[in-house]
Amino acid sequence: MATYSKSDTHTESQIYLSTRGGDYGLSFENVVLKGLAADGGLFLPHEIPSAKDWESWKDLSYTELALKIFSLYISTSEIPTDDLRGLIERSYSTFRSKDVTPLVHLHDNIHLLELFHGPSFSFKDCALQFLGNLFEYLLARKNEGKEGNDRHHLTIVGATSGDTGSAAIYGLRGKKDVSVVILHPKGRISPIQEAQMTTCPDANVHNVAVTGTFDDCQDIVKALFGDADTNKALKLGAVNSINFSRILAQIVYYFYSYFQLAKTSSTFKVGDKVRFVVPTGNFGDILAGYFATRMGLPVDKLVIATNENDILDRFWKTGRYEKNGPAPSSEANGDNNDDGVKETLSPAMDILVSSNFERLLWFLAYEFAATVGMDEEFNRKQAGQEVSVWLKDLKQKGGFGPVYQDVLTSARKTFESERVSDAQTLDTIKLFYEKIHYVLDPHSAVGAAATLRSVERAGAEIPHISLSTAHPAKFADAVEKALKDEAGFNFEKEVLPEEFVGLDKLPRRVTEIENSWQAVGKLVEERVSEELKAKSG
Ligand SMILES: Cc1ncc(COP(=O)(O)O)c(C=O)c1O
Ligand SMILES: N[C@@H](CCOP(=O)(O)O)C(=O)O
């Protein structure tokens, strides 16, 4: 595999390393196609670029802004500018809003960033429409002039708590040289999400329902990537936010919404600070906000909003990252919170271990190493070692920490956190419906509840952008539960988009399987080989 060092054609932000120190000097193409590093770590650019001219981006369209941002992370020697522009334009032409991610004023200084106007009605489309086209582009280039077995065939294996899977399927269905296998936790996703995935008729799409949780599915994916034989035989690729391109694509809407606010508010101008509040599970979305902040966007705080699966909230409060922490006092019964992942009304965030937190840990460890004042190479190495130790403890002992006080202080400089219970989620859906007739989905309601608390702390003069991550129709049970007593509320009329009508009647394709990475590996091999045989025969 090609390795790079800083050059005329690649800046430091266009070359990638692994959070666990094993890989170094990789190009964007390598990183996109590999997904996960060979040492089990996640890829990061050697450095986050500072966007010195970011203020001059304020009048750009969503796609023009995406091109500016992507170009900082992708060398033109890998993807020429015109090709990248074409990929971006194709990817966002499928959105139902001309703004792609419109910003809606909710109340006072609170704004809602609607991220669900793509084909599958969740924020995942913002990255997965692009990633689908990117895979197609890279594979077409690799396979030029090749036939049959010589062609590079990518097998995507993804884990989903409902939204990544549907967005990945919508982004990759029918694409050449790619098979998509999506694992979801059986019975733990919403009926619409299940229908979106399992009714897809394309031959390159395969659904697997695992007896277990989302974390089990994510562990299976990581085990398959870690198994050299499977990886070699199937040429695995990732659609989860372990794939760095997912994070990259999500940076765009932080800048875009900031500029939208400056355009529509009479009191807010470019240069002023804003708070973003992000419903958080796997930590990919908010990590993109961290990148935007480090690139120069004036962010007062990034507020993590978790549901009752609150490992991240507990980390920010205690410095310990533990799967099974104490239950909060309001729910305490003297026991530890040791039942594993909880099923909540915001199921897409029912995640015990947040995969991308590892990326933030790397930056925190790097900053800590830098205080000793050694050179960059040394600090990167130290960061990789520290992250490896933390992640090993997480795997073997179920947690790590408390981390050094300086590391926690540094995490608290940029982030705050909030935990929102199911009861508070329902109250928030009700509140916004009663006050302004807006219907939030339960994940966005977790964010909105955290936003109201953040306003209390920060003051009403700081604008808040609360991220709305899914359309309410994807989570009918929670929405109907919250609004069933509201006079005149009618789910079909007020919420249900025409795209969902009749979806539940279509034929489904899904295979149920036990929670075993070996069994899943075997199934994936069988399905892909049947698919390829059918295509060639
Ligand atoms: C609707 C919805 N909201 C929020 C999240 C959390 O986002 P992240 O995993 O990037 O933290 C997810 C999925 O993870 C989701 O599907
Ligand atoms: N909520 C996600 C979980 C997977 O997260 P990802 O961002 O790592 O893909 C989902 O809907 O599947």
Side-chain angles (χ1 to χ4, degrees), residues 90-101:
R90 258 205 320 289
S91 303
Y92 297 103
S93 68
T94 53
F95 280 61
R96 293 177 300 279
S97 163
K98 77 168 173 26
D99 269 333
V100 181
T101 58

Side-chain angles (χ1 to χ4, degrees), residues 4 11 18 88 98 124 152 155 168 241-242 261 266 268-269 289 291 350-351 377 380 405 425 462:
Y4 294 79
T11 63
S18 156
I88 292 170
K98 77 168 173 26
K124 310 278 176 167
H152 186 102
T155 303
S241 54
I242 54 180
L261 181 59
S266 54
F268 182 80
K269 55 186 187 325
F291 270 69
D350 289 348
I351 295 174
E377 290 300 313
R380 284 178 187 148
Q405 190 56 39
T425 305
I462 285 271

Side-chain angles (χ1 to χ4, degrees), residues 124 159-165 214 218 239-241 246 282 348 351:
K124 310 278 176 167
T160 191
S161 51
D163 285 327
T164 294
F214 167 77
Q218 184 156 257
V239 280
N240 281 106
S241 54
R246 286 272 315 273
N282 232 0
I351 295 174

Side-chain angles (χ1 to χ4, degrees), residues 41-354:
L42 304 180
F43 291 118
L44 280 175
H46 283 194
E47 71 180 29
I48 298 179
S50 98
K52 295 195 183 63
D53 58 346
W54 71 271
E55 295 190 23
S56 69
W57 298 347
K58 72 178 194 320
D59 294 318
L60 298 182
S61 67
Y62 192 95
T63 51
E64 288 164 340
L65 186 59
L67 182 62
K68 285 275 180 207
I69 292 171
F70 293 2
S71 301
L72 295 172
Y73 295 86
I74 308 168
S75 166
T76 48
S77 68
E78 280 199 279
I79 306 185
T81 306
D82 282 347
D83 290 5
L84 187 57
R85 184 182 293 111
L87 282 173
I88 292 170
E89 282 172 1
R90 258 205 320 289
S91 303
Y92 297 103
S93 68
T94 53
F95 280 61
R96 293 177 300 279
S97 163
K98 77 168 173 26
D99 269 333
V100 181
T101 58
L103 187 69
V104 175
H105 178 232
L106 279 190
H107 181 63
D108 289 342
N109 223 348
I110 301 178
H111 307 264
L112 191 75
L113 178 55
E114 290 185 345
L115 298 170
F116 51 75
H117 294 276
S120 76
F121 291 78
S122 88
F123 78 102
K124 310 278 176 167
D125 292 318
C126 299
L128 281 159
Q129 283 290 298
F130 174 68
L131 182 55
N133 288 320
L134 182 63
F135 276 138
E136 180 177 55
Y137 171 86
L138 296 175
L139 289 171
R141 191 162 72 183
K142 251 186 184 319
N143 287 333
E144 213 177 326
K146 293 188 184 151
E147 293 295 336
N149 286 344
D150 289 343
R151 293 181 77 82
H152 186 102
H153 184 92
L154 197 64
T155 303
I156 299 294
V157 185
T160 191
S161 51
D163 285 327
T164 294
S166 36
I169 288 171
Y170 285 38
L172 281 160
R173 57 188 292 183
K175 296 241 191 265
K176 206 169 175 180
D177 297 317
V178 192
S179 303
V180 196
V181 185
I182 298 295
L183 317 182
H184 70 261
K186 184 170 167 250
R188 286 176 182 248
I189 60 176
S190 82
I192 283 286
Q193 289 174 317
E194 193 176 346
Q196 282 183 310
M197 294 195 289
T198 59
T199 61
C200 177
D202 295 71
N204 72 331
V205 171
H206 311 272
N207 283 286
V208 182
V210 177
T211 314
T213 63
F214 167 77
D215 292 276
D216 296 325
C217 297
Q218 184 156 257
D219 285 347
I220 292 173
V221 170
K222 288 193 173 175
L224 291 173
F225 271 83
D227 183 57
D229 293 339
T230 312
N231 217 329
K232 199 164 159 218
L234 291 171
K235 299 195 189 70
L236 294 180
V239 280
N240 281 106
S241 54
I242 54 180
N243 193 317
F244 180 73
S245 67
R246 286 272 315 273
I247 310 297
L248 173 58
Q250 291 174 184
I251 298 172
V252 179
Y253 50 70
Y254 284 89
F255 279 94
Y256 193 67
S257 60
Y258 180 93
F259 294 134
Q260 281 175 301
L261 181 59
K263 274 184 213 151
T264 52
S265 159
S266 54
T267 51
F268 182 80
K269 55 186 187 325
V270 172
D272 290 350
K273 286 200 169 181
V274 68
R275 279 185 170 219
F276 287 97
V277 186
V278 188
T280 296
N282 232 0
F283 207 76
D285 205 5
I286 200 157
L287 187 82
Y290 175 75
F291 270 69
T293 308
R294 294 273 310 267
M295 287 168 72
L297 194 67
V299 172
D300 180 60
K301 286 280 185 222
L302 295 167
V303 183
I304 299 158
T306 76
N307 64 18
E308 292 173 21
N309 294 294
D310 58 356
I311 186 168
L312 290 163
D313 184 57
R314 285 185 279 112
F315 173 81
W316 259 268
K317 302 228 151 63
T318 65
R320 292 175 202 277
Y321 191 72
E322 292 167 328
K323 289 191 194 177
N324 302 314
S329 51
S330 58
E331 291 164 25
N333 54 10
D335 294 338
N336 260 7
N337 178 17
D338 58 0
D339 306 333
V341 73
K342 287 191 182 174
E343 285 189 57
T344 72
L345 293 171
S346 42
M349 302 194 317
D350 289 348
I351 295 174
L352 208 56
V353 175
S354 301

Side-chain angles (χ1 to χ4, degrees), residues 75 296 357 367 489 494 520:
S75 166
F357 185 54
E367 260 176 45
F489 173 70
E494 286 180 63
V520 172

